[in-house]
Amino acid sequence: MVQENNATELLRWYVESGIDEALEDKPVNRFVAPETNEAESASLPTPPLPEQTGVADASATPPTISTPPASPPTPRPPAELVSRDEATKSARAAAKAADSLDALQEAIAAFDGCPLKHTAKSLVFGDGTVSAKLMFVGEAPGAQEDRQGLPFVGPAGQLLDKMLAAISLQRSDIYITNILPWRPPGNRTPTDSEIAACIPFIERHIELVAPEILILVGGTSAKTLLNTTQGIMRTRGKWFDYSRDGMAAPLPAQAILHPAYLLRSPAQKRETWMDLLEIRQRLDETTN
Ligand code: URA
C-alpha cells in the first residue's frame, strides 16, 4: 500500500513537472551498458520446459523463475549537433526546393535540424482546405495533436471551432497549421532555436497555400511572423502586412488571442469576439 502511494506520488510529480508522455514502450536503464546486459543474459539460468520436466520430482531442485533478460537498449543515433544558423540555412534550402505542399511535408520529415522531431510522435503538417482564403497559424502541436498528427484537435482546437462557428465558418472554410510541426515536450514554449530552425518551412507553407488573409493564433505565431517583440495584447485587433521576399503582394495579417489562453482567461473572449467580427468583415470584402 505504501508502495502504491509512492508510485502515485511519483506519477503526480512527473505530470506536474511536465513529464506526461512515454517516449519508449519500455523503460531503458541507461546505467546498464549493453555488453553487461548480454553477459548477464548469457549466465541467466533457463527454466526447464514442461516437456523436459515430465512428472514432478519432489526431490528435484525447483525451477528457478527468472525474468526474461532485458533486451539491450537500442541506442538512438545521436542527433547531429548543428548550429542555429546552419539549421535555418538547411531548412531554407529544403523549403525553397519544395514546389508543392506534399514536397514540403516530405522536406520537413527529412529535416534533422530541430531536435523536437526526436521527442514528438508525429509530424503535424496542416489541415483544412488548401484553397481557403483564410489561413490560421498557431504555435505548435499539443499532446492530442501529436497523437493524431493533426493541428488543433485538442481542447484549444475545439474552442477554435466554436470561435469559427461564431462567424459562420467551419474547419473546411479555412486552412490551419503551426509555426512548429513537432510538439515541444510537455507543451513547453518553443525555444528561439527551435523556431529559427523551422521558420523557413512555415514561410514556404504560407507561400504555397497563398491565402488572402493570414490569422496568427497567439503570441508566438504573431511575434514570429510579424517579426516583432511586441506582445499579443498590443498586436491583436490590428491589421499588419505580412510580406516576404518573392511574394507578389503583402498579405493582410491579424493576430488573435490563442484559444488555449481563452480557456484559462475566459474574460478575454469579448475582445476576441470583436477581432473575429473584424476578420469576418475583411473576408466578406475579399469575397466580393
Ligand atoms: N495549440 C497550437 O498552437 N496548435 C495546435 O495545433 C494545438 C494547440
Side-chain angles (χ1 to χ4, degrees):
M1 194 61 200
V2 172
Q3 270 184 355
E4 199 173 297
N5 286 342
N6 283 350
T8 315
E9 278 308 300
L10 183 61
L11 279 176
R12 184 168 299 123
W13 183 82
Y14 279 156
V15 171
E16 282 166 4
S17 312
I19 307 165
D20 58 355
E21 287 289 315
L23 299 181
E24 309 279 355
D25 289 339
K26 288 184 191 151
V28 176
N29 184 352
R30 303 212 183 267
F31 292 102
V32 180
E35 297 74 34
T36 321
N37 263 349
E38 272 158 28
E40 271 172 13
S41 61
S43 65
L44 278 170
T46 319
L49 296 169
E51 307 84 82
Q52 291 168 325
T53 50
V55 179
D57 172 1
S59 65
T61 327
T64 317
I65 298 170
S66 61
T67 41
S71 48
T74 16
R76 178 184 289 143
E80 227 181 289
L81 286 179
V82 285
S83 73
R84 187 198 289 197
D85 285 353
E86 278 175 81
T88 312
K89 216 167 133 192
S90 101
R92 195 160 301 290
K96 197 171 168 201
D99 54 4
S100 68
L101 288 174
D102 285 347
L104 183 64
Q105 186 165 357
E106 276 171 30
I108 298 175
F111 178 64
D112 267 327
C114 178
L116 294 178
K117 175 181 176 179
H118 301 291
T119 50
K121 279 193 181 67
S122 327
L123 190 178
V124 178
F125 186 68
D127 191 28
T129 301
V130 174
S131 58
K133 290 174 193 286
L134 273 178
M135 178 169 180
F136 283 60
V137 182
E139 178 176 308
Q144 294 204 32
E145 288 77 17
D146 187 35
R147 249 176 254 130
Q148 294 184 39
L150 287 170
F152 285 96
V153 287
Q158 283 155 22
L159 178 57
L160 184 67
D161 285 346
K162 289 187 188 149
M163 290 158 64
L164 291 174
I167 49 168
S168 310
L169 294 175
Q170 45 189 355
R171 251 339 144 91
S172 53
D173 294 316
I174 66 160
Y175 183 82
I176 190 159
T177 185
N178 284 304
I179 297 283
L180 292 181
W182 295 290
R183 179 193 184 211
N187 295 348
R188 63 160 170 74
T189 305
T191 64
D192 289 349
S193 300
E194 288 158 359
I195 293 177
C198 296
I199 264 190
F201 293 124
I202 183 60
E203 290 180 346
R204 184 73 180 135
H205 209 146
I206 296 169
E207 215 176 325
L208 289 167
V209 173
E212 296 202 14
I213 298 173
L214 190 61
I215 305 299
L216 313 170
V217 186
T220 301
S221 176
K223 279 185 186 161
T224 307
L225 293 176
L226 298 177
N227 210 5
T228 176
T229 52
Q230 284 199 333
I232 184 73
M233 290 304 176
R234 283 178 173 270
T235 45
R236 61 145 282 273
K238 297 178 193 137
W239 288 103
F240 291 86
D241 278 346
Y242 169 85
S243 124
R244 291 294 185 273
D245 284 350
M247 277 174 57
L251 263 179
Q254 171 144 188
I256 58 170
L257 298 180
H258 199 292
Y261 171 73
L262 293 176
L263 285 172
R264 296 191 301 271
S265 314
Q268 303 285 343
K269 283 185 182 168
R270 199 171 167 277
E271 269 75 29
T272 306
W273 168 236
M274 308 302 284
D275 297 346
L276 291 170
L277 288 179
E278 174 82 29
I279 292 166
R280 177 75 233 192
Q281 190 180 340
R282 184 90 184 216
L283 180 67
D284 291 341
E285 285 166 9
T286 5
T287 312
N288 296 329

